[in-house]
Amino acid sequence: MMKKAAFSLLAGTMLITHAAPAAVASEETDGDLILYQNVPGVETDLEEGLDLRALAVHEDGHFTERSDGLEWDSTNENVAVVDETGVVEMTGQRGRTFISVTDGNHTDRIAVDYKPNPDAREGGGKPPVEAQLVPQSGERYDIIDGAVDGMTLEEKVGQMMMPDFRHYDGQEVTEMLPEIEQLVEDYHLGGVILFAENVVETEQTYELVADYQEAAEKFGMLVTIDQEGGIVTRLQTGTDLPGNMALGATRDLDLAEAAGDVIGAELSSLGINTNLAPVVDVNNNPDNPVIGVRSFGEDPQLVADMGVSYIDGLQQNGIAATAKHFPGHGDTAVDSHLGLPEVPHDLDRLLDVELYPFQQAMDAGLDAVMTAHVTFPEIDGDKAISEKDGTEISIPATLSRTVLTDLMRGELGYDGVVMTDAMNMNAITDHFGSVDAAIRAIDAGADIILMPVGLEEVVEGVLDAVDEGDISEAEIDESVERILTLKVERGIFKQEALQDPAEGKQRALETIGQDAHLAVEQSIADHSVTMLKNEDVLPLAPEADERIAVIGTTYLSSLVSAVEGHHDKVDAINLSGQSSLTDEQRSTIEAADHVVIGSTTANVAQRSADNAVMQMYAEIMEMKDDVAAVAIRNPYDIMAYPDVDAYLAQYGFRGASFRATADVLFGETNPTGTLPVTIPNPDGGVLYEYGSGISFD
């Protein structure tokens, strides 16, 4: 299935940012030259113009993007003209023209009509006249089948591998190394995942991505990253969005799309073409240690709506979106990085809750799905013997054919790319050998093995499994077809001519962290801050000589700086590493005219009332009558100190969130966020319901 092409089209002046450039040797070929827009299923959104792209189809079936040595022509320049790079500009006169391209040996063409729009409505936003593209048809355009037919088994398996190269010989990888370049070539790698260690600054990241594409053998690479926003943000330069739960608190679908658009634009400018986001897990378990604020919330409809809007924002920038973690990691109390979680629900419940956002995203044209290293014993009763201790365990979804093939492909009808979660996580490595796990995942229906443990061993093991009949080569072919289809959909091709890196870097520098993106970041934060309690404590209105004690542990300095933006007499009290208040701290707190606590928790133990930090907070609340608390990360922190006088949730620790919270603390803005989750009380009841939130009005 092809979806919307990976670019937008603007008249004549639009510069299209494709995957980072790569060079291949020029060669004479008896293959073909075709227009990308003629490939079956590629949909092009014409606005006022069109940027045509030419693909060289080589004798063995692989295809590359060609831009040099081409001649372009329009048969009717009264309707449209085309420049030497394939950019078409409509003149405004009605009629049809054929735009053709030739390399001297092969020629292709496509029809462009400019005619009345039958859907035009007065005042309805539809133009009375519009351009329409009429692709050619024929066997020559079925390039994916031809490519797969011409690949060796080794090349096919290579397309399914997506390793990381965070470190090499103990050093962080910030530039292409000859050893890594050789691995890309030797194993015909189809993709790579980048981490914070790799993406230190803008120009360096652009160069690294371009070098990966240049190292690719025949096809463009899926260059991926976990740029979710919030607590999972890999780029070390750029816009620091508040994250998904902050978006959920805004209830604003336009902001969700804007978040995806900002992330998509910044990734695209760097040549990164695939984002392992968004998280569409339904976080209905307050004890979840790994999803939490990475989720939009606990309501399946909210998660679905926000997720689809976020995906739209990503994909309109040509970025492949990846929904995770299928079939749902929200209702777990174990981190799959550390152990093997279980979700105990049956299929009916999963379809109504956990699977609902995935289904909606799939129906909306989702590019890829990432699996969960989580067991679902009610839908897959198969067992395995753990290599860790010899006990019998349930099969995690990543390795389950029942989940990936029968449920995802059969029940939900998904035909896009399926990628495993990282195969170096303890949920897998504790119980399965790295080769065995990869073979099980592929046999289950996974198309891409993310971060295989021991690339050489895994590749050799998979090849042996195909030779021995343990993995069907026909299913390998289907996986490669899906991967190449995704690459074609998103315009990810090996390029025969190098683009000017200086121009690319300059575009990236102009895009990353631009003012418009920072405005989106601040707007999300401003609309997300949620006030759950206020017993006449807020807004703060200190006299010029009054002192504010700001108390906390992690991110205390950020909270202090934000408060100092409104009042300059602030005493910072850091409780990190302490089990009790010092006499000096007590004196400072007692002398303060106002007290603000900033709590940061990531798990159940940290927010327990028995936790040493929480006990110190409780002591402070007994000392002072008017204490305002800010939950910096998890909104659930109030469970440990329900008697606090005022309480704000900001859902993240990026600068914009602290600024937004400080504005609320001092009454410069009115809080409008509403809880995207339910906060329980320690007895199992409800402390604050989903949708709670008050304002100063």
Side-chain angles (χ1 to χ4, degrees):
M1 178 184 70
M2 293 284 188
K3 297 188 282 294
K4 185 174 177 179
F7 45 82
S8 62
L9 305 164
L10 299 176
T13 59
M14 182 68 175
L15 280 174
I16 305 298
T17 301
H18 305 305
V24 295
S26 176
E27 58 181 290
E28 293 296 327
T29 175
D30 292 328
D32 203 355
L33 180 77
I34 66 170
L35 288 168
Y36 168 62
Q37 284 81 0
N38 278 330
V39 175
V42 170
E43 297 179 9
T44 307
D45 181 17
L46 283 79
E47 293 179 0
E48 296 177 353
L50 172 63
D51 182 2
L52 293 173
R53 304 171 69 177
L55 302 180
V57 182
H58 301 270
E59 287 184 88
D60 67 354
H62 85 274
F63 42 85
T64 53
E65 183 167 5
R66 180 166 294 171
S67 56
D68 286 353
L70 301 177
E71 294 184 8
W72 297 86
D73 184 59
S74 171
T75 61
N76 188 351
E77 293 190 348
N78 291 324
V79 174
V81 295
V82 60
D83 70 11
E84 67 277 5
T85 66
V87 174
V88 179
E89 187 172 1
M90 310 305 296
T91 66
Q93 182 167 322
R94 300 182 186 185
R96 165 173 284 198
T97 185
F98 286 92
I99 307 296
S100 64
V101 63
T102 182
D103 62 1
N105 296 311
H106 311 286
T107 301
D108 196 18
R109 70 176 190 170
I110 196 165
V112 183
D113 292 342
Y114 197 65
K115 61 184 182 179
N117 180 4
D119 297 326
R121 300 188 306 274
E122 186 175 351
K126 295 285 186 178
V129 181
E130 68 173 1
Q132 294 182 359
L133 202 63
V134 185
Q136 306 294 296
S137 60
E139 185 176 343
R140 68 187 292 204
Y141 303 114
D142 294 330
I143 60 175
I144 294 173
D145 288 344
V148 175
D149 289 344
M151 295 171 72
T152 66
L153 180 60
E154 288 78 8
E155 289 173 330
K156 295 173 186 176
V157 172
Q159 285 292 307
M160 301 174 70
M161 297 293 137
M162 186 176 285
D164 68 309
F165 298 104
R166 273 185 277 191
H167 301 89
Y168 199 91
D169 282 343
Q171 300 295 316
E172 294 182 353
V173 176
T174 57
E175 61 182 13
M176 179 58 70
L177 302 176
E179 296 88 348
I180 295 176
E181 187 174 7
Q182 192 65 50
L183 289 171
V184 172
E185 179 181 343
D186 289 348
Y187 292 101
H188 320 285
L189 296 180
V192 65
I193 179 173
L194 304 178
F195 284 87
E197 295 91 332
N198 307 123
V199 290
V200 177
E201 59 94 18
T202 298
E203 292 178 280
Q204 166 268 324
T205 300
Y206 181 93
E207 291 176 358
L208 178 62
V209 173
D211 287 345
Y212 270 116
Q213 292 293 3
E214 188 171 357
E217 185 181 24
K218 294 180 179 179
F219 301 97
M221 293 186 75
L222 295 176
V223 181
T224 73
I225 197 167
D226 292 284
Q227 188 74 0
E228 298 173 12
I231 67 173
V232 180
T233 298
R234 306 299 192 204
L235 296 183
Q236 297 189 46
T237 57
T239 309
D240 285 333
L241 295 178
N244 285 356
M245 193 167 284
L247 281 167
T250 72
R251 301 299 199 275
D252 191 326
L253 299 183
D254 290 338
L255 282 177
E257 182 175 347
D261 183 57
V262 167
I263 292 172
E266 297 196 353
L267 294 182
S268 179
S269 75
L270 295 167
I272 298 170
N273 52 49
T274 305
N275 194 12
L276 305 186
V279 170
V280 295
D281 298 316
V282 178
N283 197 80
N284 44 22
N285 188 332
D287 296 344
N288 194 313
V290 65
I291 303 302
V293 293
R294 297 168 65 193
S295 167
F296 294 107
E298 70 174 32
D299 178 66
Q301 190 66 58
L302 174 68
V303 174
D305 292 344
M306 286 282 173
V308 169
S309 295
Y310 181 110
I311 288 166
D312 287 344
L314 281 176
Q315 294 185 168
Q316 69 192 14
N317 287 280
I319 300 298
T322 309
K324 58 189 185 185
H325 308 78
F326 187 90
H329 203 327
D331 196 3
T332 63
V334 174
D335 183 348
S336 53
H337 294 84
L338 306 175
L340 183 59
E342 175 183 307
V343 172
H345 307 304
D346 62 18
L347 182 58
D348 289 340
R349 147 65 190 244
L350 292 173
L351 288 170
D352 288 341
V353 180
E354 282 78 9
L355 290 172
Y356 182 77
F358 287 99
Q359 182 73 80
Q360 297 305 303
M362 292 170 182
D363 292 346
L366 176 69
D367 290 303
V369 170
M370 178 182 286
T371 67
H373 299 330
V374 179
T375 67
F376 294 80
E378 290 299 312
I379 60 173
D380 185 355
D382 288 348
K383 305 290 184 180
I385 302 301
S386 168
E387 291 192 357
K388 180 179 181 179
D389 54 18
T391 60
E392 188 177 68
I393 60 170
S394 295
I395 298 290
T398 297
L399 312 184
S400 169
R401 190 172 183 85
T402 299
V403 173
L404 301 191
T405 298
D406 298 343
L407 175 59
M408 191 190 308
R409 303 243 185 250
E411 182 83 14
L412 303 188
Y414 182 61
D415 61 358
V417 169
V418 175
M419 179 188 306
T420 72
D421 204 344
M423 297 296 275
N424 65 349
M425 292 163 58
N426 286 4
I428 299 297
T429 59
D430 278 355
H431 306 289
F432 303 90
S434 62
V435 174
D436 177 47
I439 292 171
R440 285 175 177 266
I442 293 171
D443 186 57
D447 301 313
I448 293 176
I449 303 300
L450 179 63
M451 297 169 62
V453 179
L455 178 62
E456 179 179 1
E457 293 82 1
V458 168
V459 168
E460 291 301 320
V462 170
L463 292 172
D464 289 344
V466 175
D467 289 342
E468 295 168 7
D470 295 327
I471 296 177
S472 164
E473 186 166 1
E475 291 190 353
I476 293 282
D477 288 351
E478 291 176 5
S479 288
V480 176
E481 287 174 10
R482 285 189 284 265
I483 293 167
L484 294 183
T485 296
L486 173 57
K487 291 181 178 183
V488 170
E489 287 175 354
R490 291 295 160 217
I492 302 166
F493 302 111
K494 181 83 174 177
Q495 296 182 359
E496 295 185 2
L498 287 172
Q499 296 178 358
D500 184 353
E503 291 183 7
K505 291 177 189 177
Q506 184 58 39
R507 285 196 298 271
L509 288 169
E510 292 170 357
T511 302
I512 300 294
Q514 65 177 259
D515 289 346
H517 293 179
L518 298 178
V520 170
E521 172 190 344
Q522 194 61 58
S523 182
I524 295 169
D526 291 343
H527 289 84
S528 68
V529 176
T530 305
M531 186 161 66
L532 295 179
K533 189 175 184 180
N534 184 25
E535 296 183 353
D536 297 324
V537 175
L538 302 178
L540 300 177
E543 298 293 335
D545 61 346
E546 289 185 335
R547 305 201 68 83
I548 302 174
V550 180
I551 307 163
T553 54
T554 311
Y555 306 111
L556 174 63
S557 61
S558 297
L559 181 58
V560 168
S561 295
V563 171
E564 287 178 334
H566 296 263
H567 188 74
D568 58 4
K569 290 184 170 52
V570 177
D571 297 308
I573 300 176
N574 193 332
L575 304 182
S576 296
Q578 295 181 207
S579 59
S580 62
L581 297 170
T582 66
D583 290 341
E584 182 180 357
Q585 289 170 339
R586 287 191 180 90
S587 296
T588 302
I589 294 168
E590 288 173 349
D593 299 285
H594 307 276
V595 175
V596 176
I597 286 173
S599 64
T600 307
T601 70
N603 54 50
V604 177
Q606 290 175 350
R607 71 162 184 264
S608 167
D610 295 332
N611 180 275
V613 173
M614 294 303 178
Q615 288 182 335
M616 285 187 281
Y617 289 161
E619 181 182 350
I620 293 167
M621 292 169 195
E622 291 179 0
M623 293 166 56
K624 305 294 288 187
D625 292 332
D626 300 327
V627 176
V630 177
I632 292 172
R633 174 172 168 171
N634 272 321
Y636 304 110
D637 289 4
I638 196 171
M639 294 172 64
Y641 47 79
D643 296 329
V644 69
D645 302 299
Y647 184 76
L648 302 177
Q650 71 176 39
Y651 308 102
F653 43 72
R654 304 296 174 182
S657 295
F658 285 105
R659 290 191 294 272
T661 290
D663 286 346
V664 172
L665 286 172
F666 288 88
E668 291 197 6
T669 59
N670 203 16
T672 58
T674 55
L675 266 183
V677 293
T678 298
I679 299 179
N681 63 33
D683 299 325
V686 174
L687 190 59
Y688 291 96
E689 295 182 347
Y690 172 90
S692 296
I694 59 176
S695 67
F696 294 134
D697 296 334

